[in-house]
């Protein structure tokens, strides 16, 4: 296996991986491919959840790239951003492990694809503002000087794995309507095998809003384009259920962590700004119709006191 | 004075369908319009990449109509001369189809990075006509934004950065670097947060380390390790500020520490050892100072941009915003939104350097209240309901601000 192949097989975000996929294509997708992709996806999710000791491996052929592509299609169809996030994190952990084995030349060759301004600088690495802020790095704490941020190898790998996780779990570019029927059919069983956000799903709140199915669903995380409205809905529910601002902030942070990470970052500060606003405007009511319109729910909850009242 | 505009020169709101319904044609409005028109006949408005920008214009509000586009400078200039907007804005963003609606149909390509600083009039002695305090405080923050943050920390090139006076109280800093044009809204937000020092947990720059085997000390000692001379970014800023406080004269030194929450005795003790404290802090040993968190909190409250003025976060982060076109007139003042060379920024006085209208010509106006202000090096005192002969530039300022009427 030459260097270009090794980079392609091991780093899904690399130019070499894209070239490999576009040259090979996914071919004829069989059930066995989808089963292999499901195994692969669940293995990554388990790795991300740390339910088992982290079990890394190095890819020896291009199969993994196919499984990643199929996993993303299946995840997109399953509508479970929590699982998509874990998948991304698992894949990122794997890439971080593989990067830790690389020599300087390969390490720089791979990471300069994520960070075009990256330069090795002695035992450190230097990168520009645009690259540094492209992940979830907080510029204000960065050792910034003259537009360059100097960081060590370990921090760079951590940064890169966060970015890789975002890219892997960003399913916004997948056109669900265009997916092959076989994937759509397989996705139903696949979805059942995926984990839901356990802590939030099990948690019982005192009020009547946060315990509703719609809120549980939103709290488990939503996809890009819905995250802001989701934060508004949670903020209103928290306020109506009488949660203190501190309790509500903690819940909101969990929500942000559960949401899909994508190329368009959704930051805690954005969600907490919704919370601030709602707590300053306690008269705002929760609108189930809005939740439906925004695609946060696909139907009204059974026995919801809100919709019941309206329909009576 | 002839206040009636000729048919050819008539100043009409742009599109009848889009102009505000309550648009009122008054003598003052015509006067302003005619002079604005004369300005645009003799001053070229130059907009780089004109065909890729969205434009917005205002008559009563800053923006009454937007989603306008022009194919050329000539077409834009003709618009200024024929429609004579009181306020003219363009997008920092470049689009494939700038006139298309809704916003998503414009097809965003890239956007300049903009910082918008404005004065906060909530200070004692604010002058509603022309406030030198507002002007100076914003200008000082613009200089700090440029020197401390954009050039020093961000490393932006002076060649790609321009400063524009807004024509009223604020300033806009434009950065047109290709490497920054693709920054997302979230990334731009990070830059504003950095400059303002907003939402910063300053405790993150400090670590508490426990040392056991210190000479002459039996017990374990907790040492606070913080920014040192090797630090960069905000950590360096905290240290630099602390060191600057340590060299203040005694009175100012004590006052600063008292303001930070130290007792007079504590402040005096630090002053007595200030050289030692400075050398320790430079090495990152912040335990040399009692309660370093108090000093850091005091530094944090003043070190960012926009503590005394308003740094409008939304202008930087919302790439669909429109911003005043440089070198056009501001409808609230009749003053030019002038591009200022860096070398002239520290001494820039808009009432001298950004005037559109003559100071040697005069106009009679009736003030609607008592006004006392300084403009273009002269003091102007106008009594309520009294006729006053003032320079044309001052008349335009008062008429634009709706603080005077024509005779």
């Amino acid at each position: 296996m030459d260097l270009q192949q090794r980079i392609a097989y091991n780093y899904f975000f690399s130019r070499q991986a894209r070239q490999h996929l576009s040259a090979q294509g996914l071919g004829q997708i069989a059930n066995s491919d989808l089963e292999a992709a499901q195994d692969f996806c669940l293995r990554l999710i388990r790795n991300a959840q740390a339910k088992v000791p982290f079990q890394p491996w190095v890819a020896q052929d291009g199969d993994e790239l196919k499984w990643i592509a199929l996993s993303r299609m299946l995840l997109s169809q399953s509508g479970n951003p929590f699982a998509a996030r874990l998948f991304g994190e698992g894949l990122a952990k794997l890439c971080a492990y593989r990067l830790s084995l690389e020599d300087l030349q390969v390490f720089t060759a791979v990471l300069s694809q994520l960070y075009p301004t990256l330069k090795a600088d002695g035992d450190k690495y230097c990168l520009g503002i645009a690259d540094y802020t492209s992940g979830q790095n907080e510029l204000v704490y960065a050792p910034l000087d003259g537009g360059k941020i100097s960081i060590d190898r370990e921090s760079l790998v951590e940064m890169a794995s966060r970015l890789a996780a975002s890219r892997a779990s960003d399913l916004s570019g997948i056109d669900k309507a265009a997916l092959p029927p076989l994937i759509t059919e397989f996705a139903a069983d696949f979805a059942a095998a995926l984990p839901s956000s356990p802590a939030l799903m099990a948690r019982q709140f005192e009020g009547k809003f946060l315990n509703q199915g719609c809120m549980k669903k939103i709290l488990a995380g939503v996809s890009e384009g819905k995250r802001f409205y989701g934060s508004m809905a949670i903020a209103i529910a928290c306020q109506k259920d009488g949660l203190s601002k501190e309790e509500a902030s903690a819940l909101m942070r969990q929500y942000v962590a559960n949401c899909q990470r994508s190329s368009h970052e959704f930051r805690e500060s954005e969600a907490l700004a919704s919370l601030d606003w709602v707590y300053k405007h306690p008269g705002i009511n929760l609108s189930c119709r809005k939740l439906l319109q925004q695609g946060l729910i696909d139907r009204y909850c059974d026995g919801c006191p809100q919709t019941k009242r309206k329909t009576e | 004075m002839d206040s009636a505009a000729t048919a050819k020169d008539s100043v009409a709101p742009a599109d009848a369908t889009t102009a505000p319904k309550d648009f009122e044609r008054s003598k003052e409005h015509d006067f302003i319009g005619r002079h604005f028109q004369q300005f645009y006949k003799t001053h070229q408005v130059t907009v780089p990449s004109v065909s890729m920008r969205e434009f917005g214009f205002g008559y009563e509000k800053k923006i009454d109509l937007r989603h306008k586009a022009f194919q050329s400078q000539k077409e834009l200039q003709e618009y200024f001369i024929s429609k004579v907007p009181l306020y003219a804005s363009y997008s920092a963003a470049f689009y494939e189809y700038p006139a298309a609606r809704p916003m998503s149909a414009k097809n965003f390509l890239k956007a300049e990075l903009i910082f918008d600083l404005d004065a906060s009039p909530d200070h004692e002695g604010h002058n509603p006509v022309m406030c030198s305090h507002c002007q100076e405080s914003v200008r000082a923050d613009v200089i700090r934004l440029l020197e401390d943050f954009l050039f020093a920390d961000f490393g932006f090139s002076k060649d790609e950065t321009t400063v524009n006076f807004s024509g009223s109280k604020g300033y806009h800093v434009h950065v047109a670097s290709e490497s920054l044009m693709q920054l997302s809204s979230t990334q731009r937000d990070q830059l504003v947060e950095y400059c303002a020092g907003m939402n910063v947990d300053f405790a993150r720059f400090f670590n508490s380390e426990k040392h056991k085997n210190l000479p002459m000390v039996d017990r374990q000692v907790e040492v606070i390790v913080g920014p040192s001379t090797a630090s960069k970014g905000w950590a360096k800023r905290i240290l630099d500020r602390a060191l600057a406080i340590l060299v203040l004269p005694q009175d100012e030194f004590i006052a600063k520490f008292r303001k930070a929450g130290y007792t007079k005795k504590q402040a005096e003790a630090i002053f007595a050892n200030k050289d030692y404290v400075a050398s320790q802090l430079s090495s990152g040993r912040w335990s040399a100072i009692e309660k370093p968190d108090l000093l850091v909190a005091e530094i944090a409250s003043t070190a960012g941009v926009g503590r005394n003025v308003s740094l409008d976060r939304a202008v930087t982060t919302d790439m669909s915003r429109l911003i005043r076109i440089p070198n056009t007139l501001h409808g609230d003042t009749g003053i030019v939104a002038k591009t200022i060379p860096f070398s002239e920024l520290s001494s820039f006085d808009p009432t001298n350097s950004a005037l559109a209208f003559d100071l040697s010509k005069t106009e009679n106006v009736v003030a609607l209240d008592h006004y006392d202000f300084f403009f273009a090096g002269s003091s102007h005192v106008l009594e309520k309901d009294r006729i006053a002969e003032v320079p044309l530039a001052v008349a335009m300022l008062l008429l634009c601000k709706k603080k005077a009427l024509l005779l």
Side-chain angles (χ1 to χ4, degrees), chain A residues 196-213:
Chain A
S196 299
S197 177
L200 287 170
M201 295 307 280
R203 183 168 167 188
Q204 284 299 307
F205 297 93
E206 300 220 330
K208 64 179 182 183
F209 286 90
L210 288 166
N211 283 328
Q212 289 300 324

Side-chain angles (χ1 to χ4, degrees), chain A residues 5 11 16 53 75 85 102 124 132 135 160 195 207 229 231-232 267 288:
Chain A
Q5 274 179 323
Y11 303 103
Q16 290 87 341
L75 284 164
R85 182 173 64 78
E102 303 293 5
K124 293 208 165 189
Y132 188 81
Y229 285 105
S231 72
M232 284 298 285
R267 299 168 73 196
C288 299

Side-chain angles (χ1 to χ4, degrees), chain B residues 170-190:
Chain B
Y171 288 80
H172 304 145
V173 177
H174 296 234
V175 188
S177 160
E178 280 301 327
S179 65
L180 300 166
M181 291 256 203
Q182 293 295 346
L183 289 182
S184 69
S185 177
T186 313
Q187 287 176 296
R188 288 163 198 255
D189 196 31
Q190 287 229 41

Side-chain angles (χ1 to χ4, degrees), chain B residues 127-340:
Chain B
N127 192 315
V129 179
M130 184 54 69
C131 182
S132 57
H133 179 274
C134 285
Q135 295 288 349
E136 280 162 25
S137 59
V138 186
R139 190 157 41 86
D141 254 22
V142 171
I143 292 170
R144 209 145 62 82
L145 172 73
L146 290 167
E147 290 180 354
D148 292 0
F149 294 93
L150 304 195
F151 297 150
D153 284 6
F154 295 168
F156 292 168
S157 154
K158 284 189 178 177
D159 296 339
E160 294 168 322
T161 308
T162 50
V163 180
N164 290 292
F165 174 59
S166 75
S168 181
K169 303 185 295 291
Y171 288 80
H172 304 145
V173 177
H174 296 234
V175 188
S177 160
E178 280 301 327
S179 65
L180 300 166
M181 291 256 203
Q182 293 295 346
L183 289 182
S184 69
S185 177
T186 313
Q187 287 176 296
R188 288 163 198 255
D189 196 31
Q190 287 229 41
L191 299 188
V192 183
E193 278 199 354
Y194 187 97
C195 298
M198 285 188 288
N199 304 324
V200 185
D201 177 7
F202 286 92
R204 282 178 58 174
F205 294 110
F206 295 85
N207 286 315
S208 178
E209 291 177 4
K210 289 188 174 162
H211 290 246
K212 267 186 184 169
N213 300 316
L214 292 178
M216 314 295 287
V217 182
D218 292 338
R219 63 195 162 80
Q220 202 175 48
V221 174
E222 193 176 35
V223 177
I224 298 168
V225 179
S228 69
T229 45
S231 299
K232 288 173 178 170
W234 261 97
K236 182 174 185 296
R237 180 161 291 107
I238 292 167
L239 175 69
D240 289 348
R241 289 277 177 144
L243 295 178
I245 292 170
L246 289 172
V247 295
L248 287 174
Q250 187 167 6
D251 289 353
E252 285 178 52
F253 184 103
I254 303 290
K256 193 78 178 169
F257 274 82
R258 294 295 309 274
K259 190 174 167 223
Y262 291 83
T263 64
K264 191 170 180 229
K265 199 174 165 187
Q266 285 168 333
E268 284 169 348
I270 297 167
F271 186 80
N273 289 303
K274 60 181 187 164
D275 292 341
Y276 169 75
V277 170
S279 72
Q280 290 291 296
L281 297 194
S282 299
S283 312
R285 292 190 284 270
W286 284 69
S287 302
I289 195 166
E290 205 171 344
K291 298 180 184 170
D293 53 318
L294 291 180
L295 180 61
V296 172
E298 170 62 18
I299 291 169
S301 70
T302 55
V305 171
R307 297 294 163 157
N308 302 311
V309 303
S310 146
L311 175 61
D312 192 337
R313 190 175 188 156
V315 171
T316 307
T317 58
D318 180 357
M319 288 178 275
S320 61
R321 283 279 185 117
L322 302 182
I323 189 108
R324 189 161 316 288
I325 303 174
N327 300 313
T328 60
L329 293 172
H330 194 300
D332 284 351
T333 59
I335 295 176
V336 184
K338 199 174 176 192
T339 301
I340 311 161

Side-chain angles (χ1 to χ4, degrees), chain B residues 342-364:
Chain B
F342 297 123
S343 58
E344 292 172 21
L345 188 56
S346 59
S347 59
F348 180 74
D349 173 4
T351 68
N352 276 320
S353 309
L355 291 185
F357 303 109
D358 222 326
L359 284 169
S360 56
K361 288 182 185 167
T362 60
E363 194 63 46
N364 287 325

